[in-house]
């Protein structure tokens, strides 16, 4: 049995910054923020990227807590995986970075 531990503020900041360190993922967040929740196939068409590539990017964003997904059945019985942006706010200034660095679970020596 695996127990998922809560991430520290520093770990969460690193995950968020790593997730946003890609132009495709920035465009995904922007599209979801502007248009609201959307399902994978439609989002892939709107962004002009393949569904497998989109799934990889969405997984990274979801792992960082920036988006969430919900599987739903359409009227014709197809499974649609909808994604939407989780509300978030990040302050990056020297004090916030120092506090995040102090809370890292695996600090560098």
């Amino acid at each position: 049995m695996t127990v998922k531990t809560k991430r520290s503020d520093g770990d969460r900041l690193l995950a968020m910054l790593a997730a946003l360190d890609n132009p495709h993922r920035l465009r995904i967040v922007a599209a979801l923020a502007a248009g609201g929740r959307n399902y994978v196939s439609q989002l892939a068409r709107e962004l002009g990227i393949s569904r497998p590539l989109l799934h990889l990017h969405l997984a990274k964003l979801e792992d960082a807590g920036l988006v969430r997904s919900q599987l739903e059945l359409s009227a014709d019985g197809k499974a649609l995986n909808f994604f939407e942006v989780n509300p978030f706010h990040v302050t990056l200034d020297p004090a916030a970075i120092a506090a995040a660095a102090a809370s890292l679970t695996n600090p560098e020596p």
Side-chain angles (χ1 to χ4, degrees):
M1 173 178 7
T2 340
V3 176
K4 193 171 186 179
T5 59
K6 187 178 175 186
R7 288 183 175 166
S8 72
D9 288 342
D11 294 339
R12 281 191 336 215
L13 178 62
L14 283 178
M16 289 174 76
L17 292 175
L20 294 171
D21 184 23
N22 181 284
H24 287 302
R25 291 191 290 266
L26 286 177
R27 291 177 54 225
I28 292 166
V29 171
L32 291 172
R37 66 192 292 262
N38 205 342
Y39 63 99
V40 172
S41 295
Q42 180 63 34
L43 190 57
R45 283 190 293 273
E46 288 176 11
L47 296 172
I49 61 176
S50 70
R51 286 188 325 212
L53 180 59
L54 179 59
H55 273 288
L56 289 173
H57 289 303
L58 286 166
K60 181 92 172 181
L61 291 167
E62 192 168 26
D63 185 54
L66 299 173
V67 301
R68 63 179 169 260
S69 66
Q70 183 173 352
L71 194 60
E72 297 179 13
L73 289 178
S74 68
D76 61 357
K78 291 182 183 176
L80 300 174
N81 199 6
F82 282 89
F83 282 84
E84 63 186 331
V85 174
N86 277 327
F88 65 92
H89 177 83
V90 179
T91 300
L92 283 180
D93 60 21
I97 292 170
S103 73
L104 291 170
T105 56
N106 291 321
E108 294 289 325

